[in-house]
Amino acid sequence: EAGNAVVVEQAVEQGMLAELHHRVKNNLAIISGLLNLQLESSGNHEARQVINDSKNRILSMALVHKMLYNHPQLKEIDLSNYCKELIRELLNSFNLHNKVEIKEHYDPICLPVNKSIPFGLILNEIVTNSIKYVFTQENGIKHHLEVSISQINSEVVMVAKDSGMGFSRDFNDDQDGKSLGLFLIKSLAEQIDGKAVFSNDNGARVELKFLLN
Protein backbone atom coordinates (compact mmCIF):
# COMPACT_ATOMS: atom_id res chain seq x y z
CA GLU A 1 0.00 0.00 0.00
CA ALA A 2 2.85 2.35 0.84
CA GLY A 3 4.35 1.69 -2.59
CA ASN A 4 1.04 2.40 -4.28
CA ALA A 5 0.70 5.65 -2.35
CA VAL A 6 4.12 6.78 -3.57
CA VAL A 7 3.19 5.95 -7.17
CA VAL A 8 -0.07 7.89 -6.86
CA GLU A 9 1.72 10.87 -5.31
CA GLN A 10 4.31 10.89 -8.10
CA ALA A 11 1.56 10.70 -10.73
CA VAL A 12 -0.25 13.63 -9.12
CA GLU A 13 2.95 15.70 -8.99
CA GLN A 14 3.72 14.86 -12.61
CA GLY A 15 0.22 15.86 -13.65
CA MET A 16 0.49 19.17 -11.80
CA LEU A 17 3.88 19.85 -13.38
CA ALA A 18 2.52 19.07 -16.84
CA GLU A 19 -0.39 21.44 -16.24
CA LEU A 20 2.04 24.15 -15.08
CA HIS A 21 4.12 23.88 -18.25
CA HIS A 22 0.96 23.93 -20.34
CA ARG A 23 -0.36 27.06 -18.63
CA VAL A 24 2.97 28.87 -18.87
CA LYS A 25 3.12 28.08 -22.60
CA ASN A 26 -0.42 29.40 -23.08
CA ASN A 27 0.30 32.55 -21.07
CA LEU A 28 3.40 33.24 -23.15
CA ALA A 29 1.30 32.76 -26.29
CA ILE A 30 -1.12 35.41 -25.00
CA ILE A 31 1.76 37.83 -24.39
CA SER A 32 3.07 37.12 -27.89
CA GLY A 33 -0.39 37.87 -29.29
CA LEU A 34 -0.51 41.20 -27.47
CA LEU A 35 2.90 42.09 -28.88
CA ASN A 36 1.58 41.24 -32.35
CA LEU A 37 -1.19 43.77 -31.86
CA GLN A 38 1.37 46.40 -30.86
CA LEU A 39 3.50 45.46 -33.86
CA GLU A 40 0.60 46.00 -36.25
CA SER A 41 -0.29 49.39 -34.75
CA SER A 42 3.25 50.78 -34.62
CA GLY A 43 4.58 52.86 -37.50
CA ASN A 44 8.00 53.42 -35.96
CA HIS A 45 10.68 51.15 -37.44
CA GLU A 46 12.84 51.03 -34.32
CA ALA A 47 9.84 50.31 -32.09
CA ARG A 48 8.73 47.52 -34.42
CA GLN A 49 12.21 46.00 -34.27
CA VAL A 50 12.22 46.02 -30.46
CA ILE A 51 8.74 44.49 -30.29
CA ASN A 52 9.66 41.81 -32.81
CA ASP A 53 12.85 40.93 -30.91
CA SER A 54 10.84 40.61 -27.68
CA LYS A 55 8.28 38.41 -29.45
CA ASN A 56 10.99 36.06 -30.68
CA ARG A 57 12.52 35.78 -27.20
CA ILE A 58 9.10 34.83 -25.85
CA LEU A 59 8.79 32.26 -28.65
CA SER A 60 12.01 30.58 -27.55
CA MET A 61 10.74 30.31 -23.95
CA ALA A 62 7.28 29.09 -24.95
CA LEU A 63 8.84 26.37 -27.08
CA VAL A 64 10.79 25.08 -24.06
CA HIS A 65 7.57 24.71 -22.05
CA LYS A 66 5.84 23.06 -25.01
CA MET A 67 8.59 20.45 -25.27
CA LEU A 68 8.77 19.92 -21.51
CA TYR A 69 5.02 19.30 -21.53
CA ASN A 70 5.47 16.68 -24.27
CA HIS A 71 8.44 14.95 -22.61
CA PRO A 72 7.55 11.89 -20.48
CA GLN A 73 9.65 13.02 -17.50
CA LEU A 74 8.85 16.75 -17.80
CA LYS A 75 12.43 17.51 -16.78
CA GLU A 76 14.38 17.89 -20.02
CA ILE A 77 14.06 18.65 -23.71
CA ASP A 78 15.43 16.95 -26.79
CA LEU A 79 18.00 19.47 -28.00
CA SER A 80 17.86 18.39 -31.65
CA ASN A 81 14.08 18.79 -31.96
CA TYR A 82 14.15 22.07 -30.06
CA CYS A 83 16.85 23.67 -32.23
CA LYS A 84 15.24 22.54 -35.48
CA GLU A 85 11.84 23.91 -34.53
CA LEU A 86 13.11 27.21 -33.12
CA ILE A 87 15.33 27.95 -36.13
CA ARG A 88 12.50 27.26 -38.55
CA GLU A 89 10.00 29.31 -36.55
CA LEU A 90 12.38 32.28 -36.56
CA LEU A 91 13.01 32.03 -40.30
CA ASN A 92 9.28 31.66 -40.95
CA SER A 93 8.55 34.80 -38.92
CA PHE A 94 10.67 36.75 -41.44
CA ASN A 95 9.38 34.82 -44.49
CA LEU A 96 12.84 33.36 -45.05
CA HIS A 97 12.02 29.65 -44.87
CA ASN A 98 12.73 29.14 -48.60
CA LYS A 99 15.61 31.62 -48.85
CA VAL A 100 18.13 30.26 -46.34
CA GLU A 101 19.78 26.85 -46.52
CA ILE A 102 20.12 25.27 -43.08
CA LYS A 103 22.96 22.85 -42.39
CA GLU A 104 22.59 21.07 -39.06
CA HIS A 105 24.28 18.37 -37.00
CA TYR A 106 23.11 17.40 -33.54
CA ASP A 107 24.40 14.78 -31.17
CA PRO A 108 21.56 13.12 -29.23
CA ILE A 109 21.43 15.34 -26.14
CA CYS A 110 18.70 15.90 -23.58
CA LEU A 111 19.03 19.30 -21.91
CA PRO A 112 17.87 19.69 -18.30
CA VAL A 113 15.10 22.18 -17.59
CA ASN A 114 17.33 24.63 -15.68
CA LYS A 115 19.49 25.16 -18.76
CA SER A 116 16.81 24.91 -21.45
CA ILE A 117 15.48 28.47 -21.36
CA PRO A 118 18.89 30.24 -21.20
CA PHE A 119 20.11 28.03 -24.06
CA GLY A 120 16.97 28.75 -26.09
CA LEU A 121 17.43 32.49 -25.63
CA ILE A 122 21.08 32.21 -26.71
CA LEU A 123 20.14 30.35 -29.88
CA ASN A 124 17.38 32.89 -30.53
CA GLU A 125 19.84 35.80 -30.31
CA ILE A 126 22.35 34.09 -32.62
CA VAL A 127 19.80 33.27 -35.31
CA THR A 128 18.02 36.64 -35.00
CA ASN A 129 21.32 38.50 -35.46
CA SER A 130 21.99 36.52 -38.64
CA ILE A 131 18.47 37.20 -39.89
CA LYS A 132 18.69 40.96 -39.27
CA TYR A 133 22.20 41.58 -40.56
CA VAL A 134 22.64 38.89 -43.22
CA PHE A 135 19.59 36.99 -44.41
CA THR A 136 17.24 39.96 -44.93
CA GLN A 137 19.75 41.87 -47.05
CA GLU A 138 18.67 42.01 -50.71
CA ASN A 139 21.97 41.11 -52.36
CA GLY A 140 20.90 38.16 -54.50
CA ILE A 141 23.03 35.71 -52.51
CA LYS A 142 21.69 32.33 -51.41
CA HIS A 143 22.58 32.40 -47.73
CA HIS A 144 23.09 29.50 -45.37
CA LEU A 145 23.16 28.91 -41.64
CA GLU A 146 25.24 26.15 -40.07
CA VAL A 147 24.51 24.86 -36.57
CA SER A 148 26.29 21.93 -34.96
CA ILE A 149 25.96 20.70 -31.39
CA SER A 150 28.24 18.02 -29.96
CA GLN A 151 28.73 16.49 -26.55
CA ILE A 152 32.29 15.93 -25.39
CA ASN A 153 32.28 14.15 -22.04
CA SER A 154 30.18 16.42 -19.78
CA GLU A 155 30.50 19.48 -22.01
CA VAL A 156 28.17 20.64 -24.80
CA VAL A 157 29.72 22.53 -27.71
CA MET A 158 27.56 24.50 -30.12
CA VAL A 159 28.97 26.22 -33.20
CA ALA A 160 26.77 28.50 -35.29
CA LYS A 161 27.97 30.18 -38.50
CA ASP A 162 26.27 32.32 -41.12
CA SER A 163 27.27 33.32 -44.65
CA GLY A 164 27.49 37.05 -44.13
CA MET A 165 30.39 39.49 -43.95
CA GLY A 166 31.18 38.54 -40.38
CA PHE A 167 31.87 40.84 -37.48
CA SER A 168 33.51 44.19 -38.23
CA ARG A 169 37.31 44.47 -38.12
CA ASP A 170 37.22 46.59 -34.98
CA PHE A 171 34.79 44.21 -33.32
CA ASN A 172 35.60 43.67 -29.66
CA ASP A 173 33.32 41.26 -27.85
CA ASP A 174 34.45 42.69 -24.50
CA GLN A 175 32.54 45.89 -25.25
CA ASP A 176 29.31 44.67 -23.73
CA GLY A 177 27.36 47.81 -24.54
CA LYS A 178 28.02 47.55 -28.25
CA SER A 179 25.26 45.03 -28.97
CA LEU A 180 22.39 44.01 -26.73
CA GLY A 181 22.13 40.66 -28.51
CA LEU A 182 25.80 39.78 -27.98
CA PHE A 183 25.66 41.02 -24.39
CA LEU A 184 22.68 38.74 -23.75
CA ILE A 185 24.51 35.77 -25.29
CA LYS A 186 27.51 36.30 -23.01
CA SER A 187 25.37 36.84 -19.90
CA LEU A 188 23.13 33.83 -20.57
CA ALA A 189 26.19 31.64 -21.27
CA GLU A 190 27.47 32.45 -17.79
CA GLN A 191 24.10 31.39 -16.33
CA ILE A 192 24.60 27.87 -17.69
CA ASP A 193 28.25 27.63 -16.60
CA GLY A 194 29.50 28.33 -20.09
CA LYS A 195 31.29 30.77 -22.33
CA ALA A 196 30.55 32.24 -25.75
CA VAL A 197 33.32 33.17 -28.20
CA PHE A 198 32.71 35.36 -31.27
CA SER A 199 34.91 35.22 -34.36
CA ASN A 200 34.91 35.33 -38.17
CA ASP A 201 35.05 32.26 -40.41
CA ASN A 202 33.68 33.18 -43.85
CA GLY A 203 30.88 34.83 -41.89
CA ALA A 204 30.06 35.40 -38.26
CA ARG A 205 30.88 32.44 -36.01
CA VAL A 206 29.69 31.91 -32.45
CA GLU A 207 30.99 29.05 -30.33
CA LEU A 208 29.21 28.22 -27.09
CA LYS A 209 30.55 25.74 -24.55
CA PHE A 210 28.76 24.80 -21.36
CA LEU A 211 28.48 21.95 -18.87
CA LEU A 212 25.52 19.65 -19.47
CA ASN A 213 24.72 19.12 -15.78
Side-chain angles (χ1 to χ4, degrees):
E1 292 183 1
N4 289 337
V6 170
V7 171
V8 170
E9 183 178 350
Q10 290 176 341
V12 170
E13 289 180 356
Q14 192 170 26
M16 292 174 64
L17 191 55
E19 178 64 19
L20 176 63
H21 287 309
H22 186 62
R23 290 191 180 190
V24 170
K25 177 182 73 70
N26 288 345
N27 288 338
L28 289 171
I30 291 171
I31 295 171
S32 182
L34 292 172
L35 288 174
N36 269 332
L37 291 175
Q38 284 191 311
L39 197 60
E40 292 172 2
S41 63
S42 175
N44 183 284
H45 175 72
E46 290 185 3
R48 289 176 62 86
Q49 187 67 68
V50 170
I51 293 170
N52 207 49
D53 287 349
S54 299
K55 188 166 71 90
N56 287 334
R57 288 169 186 139
I58 290 170
L59 165 68
S60 71
M61 292 187 285
L63 186 54
V64 166
H65 289 283
K66 172 188 171 183
M67 293 198 164
L68 287 170
Y69 176 73
N70 291 330
H71 194 279
Q73 301 301 319
L74 303 169
K75 294 180 179 179
E76 55 191 16
I77 64 170
D78 181 290
L79 203 54
S80 172
N81 289 338
Y82 178 81
C83 292
K84 289 176 182 178
E85 187 165 345
L86 179 59
I87 290 170
R88 281 156 182 76
E89 287 283 354
L90 290 171
L91 290 175
N92 285 340
S93 70
F94 287 86
N95 296 315
L96 292 169
H97 51 285
N98 292 323
K99 299 179 180 179
V100 178
E101 180 184 358
I102 307 171
K103 301 178 181 179
E104 297 166 287
H105 167 77
Y106 303 109
D107 283 355
I109 301 170
C110 287
L111 197 62
V113 61
N114 64 314
K115 299 201 173 182
S116 296
I117 287 181
F119 173 84
L121 288 167
I122 290 170
L123 182 60
N124 172 79
E125 295 302 323
I126 292 172
V127 176
T128 298
N129 281 343
S130 292
I131 288 172
K132 288 195 293 187
Y133 302 117
V134 180
F135 303 150
T136 54
Q137 305 304 309
E138 296 294 337
N139 50 20
I141 297 174
K142 175 70 174 182
H143 287 293
H144 64 264
L145 173 69
E146 299 180 34
V147 179
S148 69
I149 301 182
S150 307
Q151 181 176 349
I152 304 172
N153 298 320
S154 60
E155 189 173 58
V156 177
V157 180
M158 178 177 74
V159 176
K161 299 193 296 181
D162 65 32
S163 52
M165 298 296 292
F167 298 110
S168 60
R169 288 184 179 180
D170 61 348
F171 172 75
N172 178 1
D173 64 9
D174 290 327
Q175 294 176 356
D176 291 344
K178 195 169 186 178
S179 165
L180 175 60
L182 300 186
F183 171 69
L184 283 174
I185 291 171
K186 291 178 64 178
S187 299
L188 290 163
E190 292 175 0
Q191 287 186 26
I192 55 176
D193 304 313
K195 182 179 180 180
V197 177
F198 309 95
S199 61
N200 289 326
D201 181 11
N202 294 317
R205 182 182 188 275
V206 182
E207 181 179 74
L208 171 69
K209 293 183 178 180
F210 64 95
L211 296 176
L212 182 58
N213 297 304

